[in-house]
Amino acid sequence: MSYEDKIDRNRIPTHIAIIMDGNGRWAKEHGLERAEGHSRGTKRAWSIVEDAVNLGVRYITLYAFSTENWKRPPKEVKVLMNLVLSNLEEKIFMDNNTRLRMIGDLNRIPLIVRNRIKKCMKTTENNTRAEVVIALSYSSRWEIARAARLLAEDVRNGILNPDDIDEEKFASKLNASFMPDPDLIIRTGGEIRLSNFLMWQASYSELYFTDVYWPDFDKEELCKAIYSFQNRERRFGLTSAQVTGADNQK
Ligand code: FPP
């Protein structure tokens, strides 16, 4: 029985976030340039978005380029920016009734790419089926430091009392404040770490790691990750008995 048949369609995670790793190693294993790995990875990103949306996922966040990725060889940075530029087509989003959102430091993105992103976000802003969030020039530490700065500015401007800063207020200043925390974070490519991705939001996310390289991560692999998610008990700090309702003694 395939994982696609095994998953419970009534308990699909609302938000899946993905660290798309392994493009370079996939290319090497196939005797191809790294650029070809990224190109295949981009095609895979769109097919997985389509599969996830068809399964009922409401938010899909893709880690496309981290703050640290700016340190890669300029040639590779250019390849990745060009892929973003040539792949953010309104048509894909309009056909799927999905909305494009971005998180990350857009100021560092080349102007031509930034304009493409802004146009695509504007055109798709009323689409309602799902939100596709691309993390570009993003890192959690950047996002958290920025939130602290915004709060400090509000204090300086006299519109915020430091005593009123709580988790909710802090989260409201995060770049990703528009989306719910991810239920499931998937990392392909065999590494077992978060690499500065959604570290505030991942507090209670289920983490799923697979050795499969991103260009090979197909619908069946996605369903396998969802199946793993569905077979875990999310306790959010409570006891198992509390979560299952077996604890009647309080
Ligand atoms: C990690 O593989 C992947 C990246 C750094 C880039 C991922 C970006 C894309 C797939 C493009 C997405 C674009 C859009 C518009 C969604 P790696 O290069 O670190 O692989 P390696 O660890 O095997 O070298």
Side-chain angles (χ1 to χ4, degrees):
M1 197 181 187
S2 70
Y3 285 101
E4 194 179 344
D5 291 329
K6 277 188 191 172
I7 57 172
D8 178 351
R9 303 287 165 139
N10 296 315
R11 290 193 303 121
I12 297 293
T14 303
H15 182 179
I16 298 181
I18 309 180
I19 302 173
M20 308 177 288
D21 198 10
N23 293 342
R25 280 163 290 159
W26 180 91
K28 197 172 175 197
E29 280 191 9
H30 289 79
L32 299 166
E33 298 284 324
R34 287 179 65 80
E36 183 57 25
H38 291 313
S39 172
R40 296 293 184 102
T42 308
K43 288 197 183 81
R44 179 57 74 193
W46 294 145
S47 76
I48 284 294
V49 164
E50 196 173 339
D51 293 335
V53 170
N54 287 336
L55 286 168
V57 176
R58 300 274 298 119
Y59 293 84
I60 305 128
T61 301
L62 301 171
Y63 202 9
F65 194 88
S66 72
T67 309
E68 289 74 27
N69 287 155
W70 288 114
K71 293 183 216 140
R72 288 199 175 193
K75 196 173 136 206
E76 184 161 338
V77 171
K78 201 167 167 195
V79 162
L80 287 165
M81 288 300 143
N82 278 338
L83 275 173
V84 174
L85 184 62
S86 58
N87 276 278
L88 286 186
E89 286 171 28
E90 281 88 341
K91 191 174 180 316
I92 303 175
F93 294 90
M94 298 315 282
D95 288 351
N96 273 340
N97 187 17
T98 51
R99 175 177 185 178
L100 173 70
R101 312 286 295 246
M102 304 293 295
I103 53 172
D105 188 359
L106 280 190
N107 292 327
R108 291 185 75 180
I109 308 283
L111 189 63
I112 182 170
V113 183
R114 206 185 317 157
N115 286 340
R116 175 93 289 276
I117 291 167
K118 282 187 182 161
K119 186 155 181 287
C120 200
M121 287 201 294
K122 181 84 193 135
T123 310
T124 62
E125 71 183 354
N126 293 320
N127 290 353
T128 53
R129 194 161 169 227
E131 302 202 4
V132 180
V133 186
I134 312 263
L136 200 64
S137 190
Y138 172 86
S139 77
S140 291
R141 289 181 180 183
W142 165 80
E143 182 184 36
I144 290 169
R146 176 179 173 274
R149 198 164 53 245
L150 293 174
L151 288 169
E153 276 170 19
D154 282 356
V155 170
R156 186 176 56 196
N157 294 332
I159 52 175
L160 177 66
N161 179 345
D163 291 340
D164 292 337
I165 298 175
D166 55 13
E167 288 180 23
E168 201 182 326
K169 181 75 76 194
F170 195 94
S172 75
K173 297 290 188 188
L174 292 171
N175 196 211
S177 62
F178 60 86
M179 66 189 197
D181 290 346
D183 302 289
L184 172 63
I185 297 181
I186 297 170
R187 182 176 187 142
T188 62
E191 312 292 356
I192 304 182
R193 53 176 171 259
L194 280 180
S195 298
N196 225 343
F197 184 50
L198 300 179
M199 276 154 41
W200 173 282
Q201 297 85 348
S203 298
Y204 283 102
S205 304
E206 295 300 327
L207 308 181
Y208 178 87
F209 299 96
T210 170
D211 288 339
V212 174
Y213 294 145
W214 175 245
D216 288 332
F217 188 85
D218 59 11
K219 186 178 185 183
E220 184 61 5
E221 293 294 338
L222 174 68
C223 290
K224 191 173 172 184
I226 293 174
Y227 183 76
S228 166
F229 168 84
Q230 290 180 337
N231 284 285
R232 300 184 193 184
E233 183 180 68
R234 302 186 79 192
R235 290 195 291 279
F236 299 98
L238 304 181
T239 65
S240 180
Q242 283 177 301
V243 172
T244 58
D247 185 5
N248 294 326
Q249 299 166 13
K250 300 258 159 40

